[in-house]
Amino acid sequence: MSEEKIIAPMVGKVIKLNVKSGDQVKINQPVVVFESMKIEMDIMTPVDGTVKEIKVSPGQVIEAEQVLLTIETL
């Protein structure tokens, strides 16, 4: 097993989490909705796996390259 870190592509604010710890995810599934420059965007998972840890919460301001969540892959 390995761990994939999902990172923020830019500064913004978390609007919504589409997953919780322990959820199964598929490649290209939207896992976080965030807002940057008044535009809402989805952050997709690049891998299949299980959500191991969520490191942010809705309303939280995020920095570019900040780890949002980790996914355990097989």
Side-chain angles (χ1 to χ4, degrees):
M1 285 193 243
S2 65
E3 190 175 279
E4 179 78 22
K5 292 179 180 172
I6 308 301
I7 61 167
M10 62 184 74
V11 173
K13 181 170 80 172
V14 175
I15 301 299
K16 179 182 174 189
L17 296 170
N18 293 330
V19 294
K20 60 185 181 308
S21 189
D23 282 358
Q24 297 292 314
V25 293
K26 296 285 185 189
I27 194 167
N28 292 327
Q29 179 177 333
V31 290
V32 177
V33 179
F34 83 107
E35 179 185 286
S36 183
M37 300 181 287
K38 298 187 180 184
I39 299 169
E40 285 190 16
M41 294 170 261
D42 289 325
I43 297 177
M44 315 291 217
T45 177
V47 295
D48 292 338
T50 304
V51 177
K52 183 176 178 184
E53 183 179 10
I54 297 175
K55 297 181 175 269
V56 295
S57 57
Q60 183 176 340
V61 174
I62 52 175
E63 299 295 324
E65 313 231 347
Q66 179 176 341
V67 176
L68 305 175
L69 55 100
T70 56
I71 296 175
E72 194 168 80
T73 61
L74 295 176

